[in-house]
Amino acid sequence: MKIEKIIFATGNEGKMREVRMILSDLGVEVLSLKEAGIEAHAEENGKTFEENAVIKASEIMRQCGEIVLADDSGLEVDALNKEPGIYSARYMGYDTSYHVKNQNLIDRLEGKKGSERSARFVCAIAAALPDGRIRTTRGTMEGEIGYEERGENGFGYDPIFYLPEYGCYSGELSLEVKNELSHRGKALRLMKEELRKLKEERQ
Ligand code: IMP
């Protein structure tokens, strides 16, 4: 099928930069909601990352009739029953600073060591096509919750996310390395392959 443009459902410029970088060799124009002139809000009332991504992408696709991509991501802490999970942005309230949220997670893991502190970032990306078809991909980045905040890079829970394989915190990674390793980067590269397959479909 012919794909000339794709809308990525985010208002976040940082995310858009990452998306454009990874999809740059697909030969498709990638627009943010703002660039496409779409004012949209979709209720994220799904129970999984995938459900939320599909809800968002489908709702906006219905409004504009173009191929729409949307993502949903968050942090799962195994010892906390995979909290905060899909509630990562809402955890302790949207207006609570990440310094407070991060310290709260550290406090809740008191007494736990090494692999008992295992956690992962998860990102699901959904593509909603005007013909009704849906594609989803998922990427994860495995690690552990550290004992303190470290690093000036990244955002959200990055300062407490320790990567044992690399001996550093996610907040200490450069943007290039983070994109290479991150849940979002992995999910996006898998989505790029899905889009490539769709592009190669005969009319
Ligand atoms: P979303 O924008 O609805 O996907 O919400 C994602 C939330 O999960 C963010 O607000 C962060 O709290 C958290 N999160 C997702 N990805 C990352 C990351 O790469 N680093 C740090 N926090 C993240």
Side-chain angles (χ1 to χ4, degrees):
M1 65 188 280
K2 207 159 143 190
I3 305 181
E4 280 168 359
K5 72 173 163 190
I6 283 171
I7 292 160
F8 197 95
T10 184
N12 180 323
E13 260 316 305
K15 242 187 221 180
M16 269 321 281
R17 228 174 296 133
E18 190 178 333
V19 170
R20 280 207 182 88
M21 218 159 101
I22 292 175
L23 299 185
S24 62
D25 55 350
L26 193 62
V28 169
E29 191 182 9
V30 186
L31 302 174
S32 68
L33 286 178
K34 195 166 146 201
E35 288 162 342
I38 300 168
E39 243 186 74
H41 180 76
E43 211 50 60
E44 286 186 27
N45 52 12
K47 289 193 185 64
T48 62
F49 294 108
E50 279 80 3
E51 270 180 38
N52 278 337
V54 169
I55 290 169
K56 216 186 311 179
S58 306
E59 175 65 32
I60 298 168
M61 182 277 291
R62 276 192 289 273
Q63 290 176 32
C64 68
E66 306 279 354
I67 297 181
V68 177
L69 261 52
D71 74 333
D72 193 44
S73 59
L75 175 70
E76 290 182 348
V77 182
D78 291 324
L80 302 178
N81 221 355
K82 303 209 170 166
E83 276 185 51
I86 57 167
Y87 302 104
S88 292
R90 289 165 269 183
Y91 185 57
M92 300 180 77
Y94 282 109
D95 295 336
T96 304
S97 75
Y98 274 93
H99 178 61
V100 171
K101 298 187 199 210
N102 284 336
Q103 192 54 53
N104 176 269
L105 288 177
I106 293 171
D107 292 346
R108 290 179 68 193
L109 292 179
E110 209 188 317
K112 304 228 182 286
K113 292 197 178 65
S115 59
E116 294 171 336
R117 304 176 74 89
S118 62
R120 73 198 52 76
F121 279 120
V122 179
C123 175
I125 299 186
L129 278 64
D131 64 11
R133 284 186 290 174
I134 298 284
R135 294 287 182 274
T136 59
T137 61
R138 165 180 278 234
T140 59
M141 178 162 76
E142 300 287 333
E144 291 169 7
I145 301 303
Y147 296 89
E148 59 184 4
E149 288 188 302
R150 279 217 209 147
E152 305 298 322
N153 302 335
F155 66 100
Y157 300 101
D158 280 326
I160 55 163
F161 194 79
Y162 179 67
L163 298 147
E165 274 176 75
Y166 299 89
C168 70
Y169 283 63
S170 182
E172 296 175 305
L173 297 176
S174 68
L175 187 61
E176 288 71 23
V177 176
K178 167 115 189 261
N179 285 351
E180 202 57 51
L181 307 180
S182 83
H183 47 311
R184 197 168 297 104
K186 287 177 188 165
L188 261 172
R189 284 189 289 271
L190 289 171
M191 183 51 77
K192 182 161 74 174
E193 292 318 308
E194 291 297 322
L195 294 169
R196 235 195 270 281
K197 280 187 226 156
L198 289 166
K199 259 186 103 179
E200 283 163 6
E201 268 179 10
R202 287 174 181 277
Q203 304 282 347

